[in-house]
Amino acid sequence: MRTFDAIVLGGGLTGLSVALHLQARGWLCLVLDRAGPGEEASRANAGILGCDAFLRPDLPLTTGEVLLRLVRPGGATRIDPRALASLIPFLKVAGAFDAPRAVSGAARALAPLQAAAIGEHLALARAASALRFFRRTGWVKLYRRPASFQASEQDRHFARIFGVSYAVLSDDDLREMEPDLAWPDLAAISWPDSQSVSSPGGVAKAYARLFRERGGAVETGNAATLVRIRSGWAVRGARGEARAPVVVAALGAATPDILRSLGVSLPVAGLRGYHRHFRAVHGVRLSRPVTDVDGGFTLTPMDRGVRLVGGHELTHADAPPRDTALERAERAARALFPLGARVEETPIPAVRAFLPDGLPVIGAVPDLPGLWLAVPHARDGFALAPALGRLLAETMAGERPFADPAPFAPTRFL
């Protein structure tokens, strides 16, 4: 029988970050994942360490908006018709967090996590010999519609409050930064303090290697085998049963499934996105991530070529992916920037957790002693994972946390 101080369910960037921070405090940890470290959502994203994540992504909160997302989503997040019935309760809960006071409170809660995120990433990357993946590129957002640019004022409002740099770009500024973009005379905003990585999967695997080198255990297994025992928790992995007094569920959009088996309901929707790489075109260069806000996609330079990320949809975590999800985004992206041949014919899907208030869930589950949650929110999971892991580890170890954990507590939903 193998015994650990903590078992972390989920080998994505969030689970690895939690495990590394617990390990740094002397805990013997096991990371259990069904597919291996960094093989799912952690590798399938735009690889952006953004500095503007103060607001929850836009959600349809009226009947008319929901219907529009079903039949004509445009660049916005689509609603998968197969998941509509199960999403209605989630959207009702989300509506309660749409008031200005709730929006402001969420932004203030996220600010210290966001301020620490890049530093925490770089500290782990340095220890893991993974600094080669990180780039001080900044991030540019483009707006096709004046109304969308006007709506971005809320992001800029909180950026000014929390001292995050941004710049509204002129046409000449944009041409100087990205001369190969075929962009009409519309608005653009630069976030110069944001960083990006050339391989999100490479970063995750480097963190997993560091965890192993420091004495941690990583193996494949099924989180659904988790059971309560007298001394805490037990789960079955590839090397047999493992036990620990403490378990951390860091399973992203699959977390509610585990909780449901334990009699706990958490209002989490699945946000599926897709990506595909394109070969470089001779003489054409993209220097940084560029997001077309109204087009609903991001182009970012990666080791495998230019990565197109888009086709986002609210859905079931286990709903079959759509091979056509990126077609609209690809047409718009080719009109914006010269893309070469596809590297993958089939788009690569990934499902992330989408929380109703736009905040991660970090903390203990009431009435289930020893069970902790680390559930990141939507696109912010990659950027905030090491800071989130530090906050949870400090809380679990009884230390004074660097940020107030109360706004992220599971009790706000349970």
Side-chain angles (χ1 to χ4, degrees), residues 174-183 281-287 299 333-339:
L174 184 58
R175 274 192 291 270
E176 183 175 349
M177 293 174 70
E178 297 294 344
D180 294 312
L181 288 179
W183 190 251
V281 174
H282 180 70
V284 173
R285 178 177 58 93
L286 187 69
S287 302
L299 289 171
R334 287 189 179 278
L336 174 66
F337 181 80
L339 296 173

Side-chain angles (χ1 to χ4, degrees), residues 15-399:
L16 291 169
S17 296
V18 172
L20 281 162
H21 279 287
L22 288 174
Q23 187 182 59
R25 288 158 176 78
W27 294 41
L28 178 63
C29 298
L30 166 67
V31 171
L32 192 79
D33 191 271
R34 65 182 180 181
E39 287 297 325
E40 298 191 55
S42 289
R43 73 182 181 95
N45 55 70
I48 299 172
L49 282 64
C51 293
D52 68 324
F54 298 113
L55 301 176
R56 178 188 69 188
D58 181 43
L59 280 174
L61 299 177
T62 68
T63 301
E65 290 173 340
V66 170
L67 291 175
L68 191 62
R69 297 289 181 93
L70 286 168
V71 300
R72 190 166 55 84
T77 300
R78 175 182 180 268
I79 292 181
D80 185 346
R82 300 167 296 182
L84 179 58
S86 63
L87 288 173
I88 294 301
F90 166 83
L91 294 172
K92 288 181 177 178
V93 174
F97 296 100
D98 204 42
R101 184 175 180 180
V103 172
S104 178
R108 293 180 183 281
L110 282 170
L113 284 185
Q114 186 167 272
I118 291 178
E120 292 294 333
H121 254 296
L122 294 178
L124 290 180
R126 190 173 295 109
S129 300
L131 285 175
R132 67 187 184 279
F133 294 118
F134 288 75
R135 309 169 299 193
R136 297 177 179 272
T137 56
W139 181 16
V140 170
K141 292 187 176 183
L142 308 176
Y143 300 85
R144 295 176 181 269
R145 299 186 298 116
S148 300
F149 177 71
Q150 184 60 37
S152 73
E153 169 55 29
Q154 200 168 19
D155 292 303
R156 289 173 277 153
H157 166 73
F158 288 115
R160 292 190 292 270
I161 289 175
F162 299 116
V164 177
S165 298
Y166 71 88
V168 177
L169 303 177
S170 68
D171 294 340
D172 289 340
D173 293 333
L174 184 58
R175 274 192 291 270
E176 183 175 349
M177 293 174 70
E178 297 294 344
D180 294 312
L181 288 179
W183 190 251
D185 297 334
L186 292 178
I189 297 177
S190 169
W191 297 89
D193 295 333
S194 295
Q195 295 194 25
S196 63
V197 301
S198 61
S199 174
V203 171
K205 291 182 185 304
Y207 290 0
R209 185 171 60 250
L210 174 65
F211 175 68
R212 289 191 190 97
E213 289 171 351
R214 290 177 170 179
V218 179
E219 64 187 75
T220 57
N222 187 353
T225 62
L226 179 71
V227 293
R228 295 181 69 182
I229 58 175
R230 180 174 297 180
S231 59
W233 299 88
V235 68
R236 182 160 293 278
R239 300 175 187 172
E241 187 176 271
R243 297 184 175 187
V246 168
V247 65
V248 179
L251 296 162
T255 304
D257 296 335
I258 300 301
L259 295 179
R260 198 175 298 114
S261 69
L262 300 171
V264 177
S265 177
L266 188 70
V268 176
L271 179 68
R272 175 179 282 123
Y274 300 80
H275 81 262
R276 172 185 277 143
H277 295 94
F278 297 85
R279 302 190 190 284
V281 174
H282 180 70
V284 173
R285 178 177 58 93
L286 187 69
S287 302
R288 56 184 55 77
V290 174
T291 295
D292 183 333
V293 174
D294 295 301
F297 66 85
T298 295
L299 289 171
T300 184
M302 293 276 179
D303 288 347
R304 298 194 65 199
V306 176
R307 178 178 290 191
L308 169 65
V309 182
H312 295 94
E313 55 189 356
L314 289 173
T315 186
H316 293 300
D318 56 354
R322 296 182 299 116
D323 289 346
T324 60
L326 270 184
E327 286 184 357
R328 183 195 301 269
E330 183 176 336
R331 288 194 297 270
R334 287 189 179 278
L336 174 66
F337 181 80
L339 296 173
R342 294 173 174 178
V343 175
E344 309 94 356
E345 188 55 36
T346 301
I348 300 171
V351 182
R352 295 172 180 79
F354 198 112
L355 281 303
D357 58 356
L359 297 177
V361 174
I362 310 169
V365 178
D367 303 323
L368 290 174
L371 178 59
W372 297 76
L373 300 183
V375 186
H377 170 74
R379 71 167 175 84
D380 304 327
F382 183 84
L384 298 182
L388 187 157
R390 174 186 165 187
L391 179 61
L392 183 59
E394 289 173 344
T395 305
M396 293 173 67
E399 302 173 7

